[in-house]
Amino acid sequence: MKFGGLSEQEVAKISDILNGEGIPFSVESDADMQEYNTTSMQNNLRHFTPPSISTHVLAILIEDESFLKTSEGARAKLLDFGITDKAPEEFQPFSGTTIHKELVHGPRRVIGFNLKHQLIVGLIMLGLMYLVKTYL
């Protein structure tokens, strides 16, 4: 399992927990976070959603079999960092895609959706103002 988007301090604390349990792991640069940073810099809607660059670019890799051997106390400590072998229900629709990619594309859809509604509400308000002004 890969747990990414971690800072150096988080990696140090998680490493202490895993070393205490004797769980083998490796630390590497998070390619997904690097891709997110690159995509965010190319965001062409800077006036709506400026790019956000994350400095938490480390990832911890743990073998599935090794993670299953952890004690309940260690699992509770790792859960404080968002590390678990159970995916939350909220993320089930995102299976097969990275959440970072959904976050980058999501605001573009929301902005277009909100803009349409703002235009419709604005036109209705103009119509109501015209009616009030002509009949009162």
Side-chain angles (χ1 to χ4, degrees):
M1 292 181 284
K2 177 181 174 183
F3 302 100
L6 302 171
S7 67
E8 290 180 13
Q9 292 84 11
E10 291 171 328
V11 168
K13 292 175 184 175
I14 294 168
S15 298
D16 290 341
I17 296 169
L18 293 175
N19 286 331
E21 289 287 315
I23 304 297
F25 65 94
S26 62
V27 178
E28 64 180 33
S29 178
D30 188 3
D32 290 332
M33 191 58 74
Q34 297 289 350
E35 180 184 340
Y36 170 72
N37 287 344
T38 302
T39 305
S40 181
M41 285 302 295
Q42 296 172 355
N43 190 356
N44 60 359
L45 295 174
R46 292 184 192 276
H47 53 286
F48 289 119
T49 55
S52 61
I53 304 300
S54 177
T55 57
H56 296 195
V57 293
L58 296 176
I60 290 183
L61 297 172
I62 305 170
E63 294 294 326
D64 292 342
E65 297 82 26
S66 300
F67 190 79
L68 294 175
K69 297 176 185 175
T70 57
S71 66
E72 291 300 319
R75 285 181 185 234
K77 290 178 186 175
L78 290 173
L79 190 57
D80 292 338
F81 297 100
I83 295 178
T84 183
D85 57 345
K86 296 174 180 65
E89 292 178 14
E90 300 89 42
F91 296 127
Q92 294 304 325
F94 296 116
S95 61
T97 62
T98 62
I99 294 173
H100 298 299
K101 196 171 283 188
E102 287 295 323
L103 289 174
V104 171
H105 292 298
R108 291 182 184 170
R109 286 194 306 261
V110 171
I111 289 170
F113 186 73
N114 287 339
L115 183 60
K116 285 184 215 172
H117 283 89
Q118 288 174 355
L119 289 174
I120 291 170
V121 169
L123 290 174
I124 290 172
M125 292 302 291
L126 282 173
L128 287 173
M129 287 174 42
Y130 175 74
L131 290 173
V132 166
K133 214 170 204 183
T134 56
Y135 292 113
L136 292 179

